[in-house]
Amino acid sequence: MASLKLLSLILTLSVISAAAQPPESPAPPQSLVLAAETLENSGYTAMSLTLKLIAPTLPLPSATTITAVTIFAPPNAAFSASGQPSLAHLLLHFSPLSLSPSSLSSLPFSSTIPSLSPSKHLTVTSSDPKIISINNVKVSEYPIYDDGFVIVYAIDNFFDLNFTLARNSTKIDAKLGFQCLKLERVSQFDDASGVLKSRGYSIFASFLDLQLMGFLDLKKSSEDNGMKWTVFAPVDEELVPFSGDFLGYSSLFMRHLVPCRVTWGDLNEMGNGTMVSISVDGFNLGITKDEDDGILMVNGVEIMFPDMYNSDWLVIHGIRGVIPLPEEEMELLEKLPVTKVEDSTASDRAEF
């Protein structure tokens, strides 16, 4: 009987989807196609078909060709028991973030996770990092599918579309301030870099400026230095336009670097508008959250892969774009005269 209900539901989904999608609907990203195939091979037939049907029209960010999404897949029995779920209910099971197991387990109780369902978010309801639950539904410890950007977890049942925490539940307190170390350059490269710049070798000097060891006292051990870092890393394609801007490499790298360890759990606990101070290049990074969909952003750039890497001293978050320079610094750069590298090089060589 249950199998007949499931078959009926699948046929209904097929008819509705065929009628709803225009003939010119774009093909879904290959990663979603592979995820749907993996779901089918893993026994999640209904969710596999659902993904195939709605993948071309998922409201994912279109700023890049990278598809960052986490999918929570209910079992076939849940589809059979509940019947045809609404589109808003289905989209609640899609988050526009790549959430690794470490990302999920790092979130404290009552943290929110954005979803693709309009004005709805998911809520972490587990306090034990070994057992993950969202909206009081258990989530599998390991993904069914994970290609680094699209991640699929199994869940025990559908998430409740109207879920709210009980009034007596203890919510996390917003962190209104987050202090990092104030960096002072003690680099043995400083003098050499200054000489190179004065003689027209600014490009190589910029590469020296990128060395993180330049901020450490090399006479001390790493434990004595106690340095911890957070990197907000743009996807490769967002950095391609900067590939020829050699003089800007140092600034480009440094403004994505924070001299303290800030996990996704820390970011979620921060109040909207919290300033993570200070970035290495001398300006603050502001953390904001879209109140409607719960998306976290750093200086207006979406964090799409939180806790991509997480160790005792280094955390890396994947972001959708490049953190822009402050307007006043951009104005100064535009006023600087353009220097031809080959001319300065030739004049420098003439001295020898």
Side-chain angles (χ1 to χ4, degrees), residues 107-128:
L107 287 177
F109 177 81
S110 80
S111 297
T112 58
I113 299 173
S115 79
L116 295 182
S117 187
S119 301
K120 296 289 184 179
H121 61 260
L122 300 168
T123 304
V124 176
T125 49
S126 52
S127 54
D128 184 350

Side-chain angles (χ1 to χ4, degrees), residues 29-346:
Q30 183 63 21
S31 55
L32 292 182
V33 174
L34 294 175
E37 292 176 356
T38 302
L39 279 167
E40 184 175 3
N41 294 335
S42 301
Y44 291 82
T45 311
M47 191 61 185
S48 171
L49 180 59
T50 299
L51 178 56
K52 291 177 182 177
L53 296 178
I54 68 175
T57 56
L58 282 176
L60 293 168
S62 57
T64 70
T65 58
I66 298 297
T67 302
V69 64
T70 297
I71 302 169
F72 299 97
N76 292 338
F79 281 88
S80 299
S82 66
Q84 170 61 42
S86 66
L87 179 59
H89 196 182
L90 286 173
L91 292 178
L92 186 66
H93 298 76
F94 293 79
S95 175
L97 300 175
S98 297
L99 300 174
S100 64
S102 62
S103 295
L104 286 177
S105 62
S106 70
L107 287 177
F109 177 81
S110 80
S111 297
T112 58
I113 299 173
S115 79
L116 295 182
S117 187
S119 301
K120 296 289 184 179
H121 61 260
L122 300 168
T123 304
V124 176
T125 49
S126 52
S127 54
D128 184 350
K130 295 181 180 179
I131 302 175
I132 303 171
S133 71
I134 296 174
N135 286 27
N136 282 336
V137 176
K138 186 179 178 182
V139 179
S140 61
E141 183 178 359
Y142 300 105
I144 298 174
Y145 176 85
D146 182 358
D147 66 3
F149 291 99
V150 175
I151 303 176
V152 182
Y153 293 93
I155 56 176
D156 290 349
N157 206 338
F158 281 108
F159 294 137
D160 184 351
L161 187 61
N162 299 309
F163 177 82
T164 55
L165 282 174
R167 290 185 178 181
N168 59 351
S169 299
T170 303
K171 292 191 175 183
I172 54 177
D173 295 325
K175 295 183 178 180
L176 299 179
F178 204 96
Q179 296 300 315
C180 300
L181 295 174
K182 184 174 182 179
L183 295 180
E184 295 181 3
R185 291 183 180 268
V186 291
S187 174
Q188 61 182 357
F189 298 131
D190 270 356
D191 291 341
S193 177
V195 171
L196 285 167
K197 290 177 181 177
S198 69
R199 292 185 176 272
Y201 291 85
S202 296
I203 294 175
F204 200 81
S206 293
F207 284 109
L208 285 184
D209 288 340
L210 292 178
Q211 306 305 311
L212 286 182
M213 290 302 294
F215 294 105
L216 307 181
D217 186 343
L218 299 181
K219 295 179 181 179
K220 296 181 180 180
S221 67
S222 57
E223 292 183 1
D224 292 334
N225 278 308
M227 294 302 298
K228 295 184 179 181
W229 303 93
T230 300
V231 177
F232 293 95
V235 291
D236 286 347
E237 64 187 46
E238 293 296 324
L239 292 172
V240 171
F242 299 88
S243 59
D245 184 14
F246 297 105
L247 301 184
Y249 280 176
S250 178
S251 173
L252 177 65
F253 178 70
M254 292 302 192
R255 67 178 181 267
H256 293 82
L257 183 70
V258 178
C260 59
R261 184 173 175 273
V262 187
T263 66
W264 192 44
D266 294 325
L267 293 171
N268 262 281
E269 293 178 28
M270 293 178 183
N272 202 356
T274 296
M275 303 304 292
V276 178
S277 60
I278 54 178
S279 75
V280 173
D281 228 18
F283 64 94
N284 294 331
L285 297 180
I287 305 300
T288 55
K289 179 183 288 188
D290 190 303
E291 297 299 338
D292 291 331
D293 55 26
I295 294 291
L296 280 169
M297 292 176 283
V298 52
N299 281 30
V301 180
E302 179 187 338
I303 300 172
M304 72 172 189
F305 198 155
D307 284 357
M308 181 190 302
Y309 177 84
N310 190 336
S311 72
D312 291 340
W313 65 277
L314 176 65
V315 177
I316 300 176
H317 303 294
I319 59 177
R320 194 167 290 280
V322 173
I323 295 174
L325 282 168
E327 292 184 6
E328 57 270 19
E329 189 168 340
M330 284 294 293
E331 292 174 359
L332 286 174
L333 288 176
E334 290 173 357
K335 294 178 181 178
L336 289 176
V338 178
T339 303
K340 293 184 178 180
V341 176
E342 62 270 23
D343 291 342
S344 60
T345 303

